[in-house]
Amino acid sequence: MMKLARTDRSAWTELMFTVDKGILLCVFLLMAAGLLVGLVASPAVAERLHLEPLHFFIRQFTFMLVAIPLILGIALLDATAIRRLGFVIFAVAFVGLLILPFVGMDIKGATRWISLGSFSLQPSEFLKPGFIVVLAAIFASVTEQNRKQISLIAAAITGLVVMMLVRQPDFGQTSLIAASFVIMLLLSGAPRRWIITLMTIGAGLSVAAYITVDHVRTRVETWLHPGSGDTYQIDLSLDAIARGGVTGQGLGEGRIKHVLPDAHTDFIFAATAEEFGLFACLALMTLFSTIIWRGLARSLETIDPFTQLATAGLVSLFGLQAIVNIGVNMKVLPTKGMTLPLVSYGGSSLLALAITSGMILALTRKRAASRAVSHAGLVRGGG
Amino acid sequence: MNEVRRRSAVHVPQGFGAPHRPGQSGPTFLDSRQYHALATRRQRLMVLGGLFGLAWLVLVFQLFNLAVFNGDRASGASTRIVSVDKTLRRDIVDRNAQLLATSLKTVTLYADARDIADADEAARGLMSVFPEFDYADLKKKLESERAWVVLRHDLTPRQHASVHALGFPGFRFEERPRRIYPKGSLASHVVGFVGSENKGLIGLERTLNDALASDSADGPVELSLDLRVQYIMRDELIRSMLEFKAKAATGLVLDVTTGEILALVSLPDFDPNDIGAASNNQLFNRATMGVYEMGSTFKAFNTAMALDGGKIDIDDQFDASAPYKVANRTIHDFHPENRWLSVAEVFMVSSNIGSARIAHQVGAERQSEFLERLGLFDRAEVEIPEIGRPLLPVKWGPTETATVSYGHGISVSPLSIAVAMASLVNGGYKVEPTILRQRDYDPGTRTRVVREETSRQMRRLMRQVVTQGTASQADVPGYSVGGKTGTADKPSAGGYDRRALITSFAGIFPSDKPRYLVLALLDEPKGTPKTHNYRTAGWNAAPTVGAVVRRVAPALGVRPTAEVSPFAETAQLASTQR
């Protein structure tokens, strides 16, 4: 182990002294878990698709080689830089979403991807962390006088993003974005009745989507009344978790990966449960909840509004995505296409979550908090 | 910056209210406005943390629920997950070995384009087998370097051999089983269908999924259905549906002794070979899943209940001379006789007043006990998953006792009615319905539901309904049809819709020693000039059953009695000569 000294001002020592090691450890453990489960689950899926057995594993490994420096690099930034980075990512991803209908590829009935040679990018994945940072920056400047205007601007941006996502259509990401907006609004100190009104509108829109959009309705009905539709995926997922039981079926003994095409992406939690059992699932869930818990605790300690809002927002985004994914795997929620953060196979998803984690790490650094005070202009702008 | 300073920044109250000096580089001080904003954010952060905590609790709870307390699913699941889609499912045949469902091995041709050395040559070669392919398109596909390019589904054996003989390494074949239903929609609700993963989704294909997916070498699964009877039932129901402009119809033929179902039709139905085109309305199985208020058909149960108790005689008189007031409602008769009626007459003229008075004399307790014994309180289980639960009265007061006696306020499936009715007429034994052929039916295991004498009386009464009562149009000379009609107003929001009817007829033949029960039910039949605009069951459901009996009886080997046989005279002559 490298010897670290306070006098050493290199980036690495700076990072090691200031970073929240708990969160960092959880992030790496989740990625390692993803690689491990991917190694067990993905060859079967690859075989069904007539690809090389290690096709997905090798690709995921390659993505990780990019993701790790990305996480550490972003973690070194200070709040101002994170804010800039967030705006840039948001702008680029937004443009990506805009041009998607013209350059995108259709996968399973939705246009979500831009092809870059052998690798395809999903702009909506990258949009999410950028979106949170932008909202945090906007809401950070809220005062009692400008609350309405500020909130309207944030709502307008959210509306734009939602429109783009609904067009694809991608209702999973849409609900995630909408939920993030409500959380940010809540944290910014908006009156309670606003939140209640918004949730009512949200419920109304969900009902509207249920009525007008076929695949949303099918999914909800399948969830509420098993037997009314094709519950195949979710049945398999529940079966796999049940088969796994407490101790798991054992390494390589999983079945779901042979029959479910998404066993290495959206249903990787079920695949984990089947082979490794209850305790592995609890361990995964502990890693996620530790990130959420520590992130929120750090956010609580901060006084700079931007850092506080951005941290809480990014952590919520991360946590919500994990909860929705696991919830779908266990049939607590209707089926949505959503990956398990850092664990599921997928380049866009992994890189976008590397950015998210890097930002969380940057904003929760010990010094970042106090630096943010001066940079974000709490002192200068206050009073 | 150090720990101490950070802390001081965190514990805001230290700096709270302190005057703010621009450019100050010491601890951060917040004014009261900022302090309030921060306090609000913190409070809300804690709320957020709480919500996350709750969400995780739910997930952990569900995880334990699934992984620890769900052994059934785990054992059943292994077969579900393991049964790979490559198995050739077993055939399904009717009782005469007529094919209803079979599996074919189909071959899909695909290319691993990475193994195609010369796309031009490969494309030309392939076009010698499939001249209809487009050369440019094919060449593009073969040059794509993709590992899995589907070129053609369902190859014939000759095409398969020809492509094989071409000898290009990049062409691959995949064998996939395909489920075929040669009889199309004929028995769609019974057989069901399999989904794209070759797993049964509804009907027998679903219930018997594991048995069917085992191995086609085990031989076919034999149904109790007789496709000739099934065809006739469906044909007559379609005819009636069109003639009376009904919205839907259902019917079944049941062997009253063995419980075997010979025909089960629900209209509209669907083609299991093209399930994508089927609407929910078509998929809905009205015979087993649908529950209906059956109206007067229920009087058969009421009458049997009275006779079976031993305290009421078939000739006992009940006052039907005036409408009968029960609690807050008044019961009327559709065709009022305005006199006292015997139990037999109450049944024959279908008197609501008489039925209600009989039920009141018997009492609510014995009434519900009797109906439960007939199986009308439970789902009529048969080997398909689409079984409807009966809708029973919430409380069982005098009003309910009265309405249930003539078939209102209680909804059951047509199959339930048929099964209960069969027990009344087959000598009084419980009928266990089945759609699987019973090769070794053992009559010794039957449990008694009503007395033999009651059963005999019911048969005679049901025959009289046809000879003298509402169902004269169900009569088929020589086959001694008996039965009971039912005409019910359709329940609608807050009451009944007098314009919309459910009509039904449950018929038995031959009524002196019944072998089969035929039930037909029409949803919202309309009047026609031929029926003098009547819409009641006697004008539509009863003749439907009559037509079915006329056509199926000879096929089922039921011999007509002397009264109509063309040889009747000769036969009589012969007997008198002897």
Side-chain angles (χ1 to χ4, degrees), chain B residues 507-536:
Chain B
I508 53 167
F509 74 96
S511 59
D512 47 332
K513 193 174 186 313
R515 288 180 56 189
Y516 299 103
L517 181 144
V518 182
L519 181 141
L521 178 146
L522 295 171
D523 186 352
E524 296 193 20
K526 316 287 184 298
T528 69
K530 214 176 118 195
T531 69
H532 317 292
N533 275 329
Y534 283 116
R535 300 168 301 153
T536 46

Side-chain angles (χ1 to χ4, degrees), chain B residues 537-558:
Chain B
W539 292 93
N540 43 53
T544 308
V545 169
V548 171
V549 173
R550 185 173 290 116
R551 292 172 68 184
V552 301
L556 292 171
V558 180

Side-chain angles (χ1 to χ4, degrees), chain B residues 85-104:
Chain B
D85 45 14
K86 294 280 165 88
T87 46
L88 218 48
R89 294 167 75 89
R90 290 160 68 186
D91 290 352
I92 299 177
V93 298
D94 86 336
R95 63 190 304 121
N96 302 313
Q98 292 290 304
L99 198 57
L100 274 163
T102 188
S103 289
L104 291 183

Side-chain angles (χ1 to χ4, degrees), chain B residues 431-485:
Chain B
V431 172
E432 307 280 355
T434 178
I435 43 181
L436 298 179
R437 183 167 185 193
Q438 306 297 304
R439 274 187 179 275
D440 311 302
Y441 176 72
D442 175 15
T445 56
R446 298 187 296 184
T447 47
R448 184 163 280 288
V449 181
V450 295
R451 294 184 295 124
E452 189 151 6
E453 171 62 13
T454 311
S455 181
R456 201 182 54 76
Q457 287 174 319
M458 286 313 296
R459 293 200 292 263
R460 215 182 62 221
L461 286 174
M462 284 165 82
R463 176 63 185 152
Q464 282 173 2
V465 169
V466 174
T467 53
Q468 304 162 39
T470 51
S472 58
Q473 295 190 44
D475 201 19
V476 182
Y479 289 107
S480 176
V481 180
K484 183 73 192 89
T485 52

